[in-house]
């Protein structure tokens, strides 16, 4: 599993949720088609008259989420950039997605503008197995962010965290250690730690 696999999964799901914020900071979520994925880049399009288009032009920051039939989720955060050579990209998108001809027949397709997400951060989250599995990736020069919780050296080895973990993904040791790939990020371990030795990653 890597960034390419995550982007490919979004393309296979195709109809995924794109979330933006308007000029007042209000969130908006829409089902948008992933039209192309290649060279670690994701391509989509939208019509210039849509509110979604205006939000992309004003800001460009996006959160994209897709869920497949196996209860596997891919979440992408990145910035969308409108592409030059509009007709080339729209023709390419329509060639790869022929059903678009029924929605925008003939020359009406050129009311659409193409966009690309060329860099961003990805999360793969698999709820279809036990314990759950999650991985983080970055592409296009982005760095992977830390998520979840971390057990500090203040740990006294009492085992309370391991006893409370829903996924049983905390190993005994000095200090105890969270298996990050299987952590739900629920925070139950931190809430029950008698010495407050469990903190959010990135804040330790």
């Amino acid at each position: 599993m890597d960034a390419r696999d995550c982007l490919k999964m979004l393309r296979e799901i195709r109809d995924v949720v794109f979330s933006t914020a308007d000029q007042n900071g209000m969130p908006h979520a829409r089902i948008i088609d992933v039209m192309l994925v290649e060279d670690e880049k994701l391509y989509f399009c939208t019509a210039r008259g849509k509110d979604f288009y205006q939000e992309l032009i004003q800001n460009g920051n996006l959160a994209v989420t897709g869920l497949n039939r196996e209860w596997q989720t891919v979440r992408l955060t990145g910035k969308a950039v409108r592409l030059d050579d509009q007709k080339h990209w729209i023709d390419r998108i329509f060639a790869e997605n022929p059903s678009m001809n029924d929605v925008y027949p003939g020359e009406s397709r050129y009311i659409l503008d193409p966009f690309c997400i060329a860099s961003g951060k990805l999360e793969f989250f698999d709820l279809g197995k036990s314990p759950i599995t999650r991985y983080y990736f970055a592409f296009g020069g982005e760095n992977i962010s830390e998520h979840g919780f971390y057990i500090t050296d203040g740990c006294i080895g009492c085992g309370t965290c391991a006893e409370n973990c829903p996924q049983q993904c905390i190993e005994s040791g000095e200090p105890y250690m969270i298996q990050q790939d299987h952590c739900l990020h629920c925070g139950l371990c931190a809430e029950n730690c008698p010495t407050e030795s469990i903190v959010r990653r990135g804040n330790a």
Side-chain angles (χ1 to χ4, degrees):
M1 174 65 64
D2 58 17
R4 289 177 183 267
D5 294 324
C6 289
L7 293 172
K8 181 181 176 183
M9 188 179 299
L10 288 173
R11 169 60 176 162
E12 290 171 347
I13 299 169
R14 181 168 170 166
D15 300 314
V16 301
V17 177
F18 279 62
S19 299
T20 55
D22 64 21
Q23 60 185 358
N24 298 315
M26 293 299 294
H28 299 275
R30 304 169 177 88
I31 300 295
I32 302 292
D33 284 356
V34 175
M35 296 297 185
L36 292 169
V37 166
E38 59 184 17
D39 300 326
E40 286 196 357
K41 296 177 182 179
L42 183 149
Y43 298 85
F44 65 98
C45 63
T46 192
R48 292 187 291 277
K50 293 181 180 288
D51 290 343
F52 179 48
Y53 180 90
Q54 298 304 319
E55 290 154 15
L56 292 172
I57 295 300
Q58 290 165 9
N59 185 301
N61 291 326
L62 279 173
V64 180
T65 306
L67 172 69
N68 67 17
R69 295 178 183 274
E70 284 73 48
W71 299 101
Q72 296 171 329
T73 298
V74 172
R75 184 174 62 168
L76 161 64
T77 55
K79 192 174 186 73
V81 176
R82 183 166 56 89
L83 297 171
D84 295 328
D85 201 356
Q86 179 241 11
K87 287 194 173 183
H88 163 79
W89 283 106
I90 293 302
D91 287 345
R92 173 85 192 283
I93 284 171
F94 272 61
E96 296 286 342
N97 302 272
S99 62
M100 288 295 292
N101 288 288
D102 297 327
V103 183
Y104 290 97
E107 295 290 303
S108 69
R109 69 173 64 181
Y110 299 120
I111 191 61
L112 300 166
D113 272 359
F115 288 83
C116 176
I117 304 174
S119 63
K121 299 178 181 182
L122 290 155
E123 178 190 50
F124 172 80
F125 186 45
D126 190 347
L127 271 170
K129 18 173 102 168
S130 182
I132 61 93
T133 302
R134 72 164 81 234
Y135 302 114
Y136 292 96
F137 308 101
F139 66 103
E142 290 284 345
N143 295 316
I144 298 175
S145 300
E146 291 188 326
H147 299 269
F149 292 84
Y150 172 78
I151 303 177
T152 69
D153 290 337
C155 172
I156 59 173
C158 68
T160 301
C161 56
E163 292 170 6
N164 282 278
C165 177
Q167 291 293 304
Q168 297 296 294
C169 68
I170 300 179
E171 299 176 347
S172 61
E174 299 180 0
Y176 273 55
M177 185 179 70
I178 300 171
Q179 299 175 56
Q180 298 296 336
D181 291 348
H182 304 298
C183 179
L184 282 169
H185 300 173
C186 68
L188 190 59
C189 57
E191 288 190 4
N192 284 277
C193 178
T195 59
E196 299 183 351
S197 298
I198 303 177
V199 298
R200 288 186 179 277
R201 296 183 78 195
N203 297 332

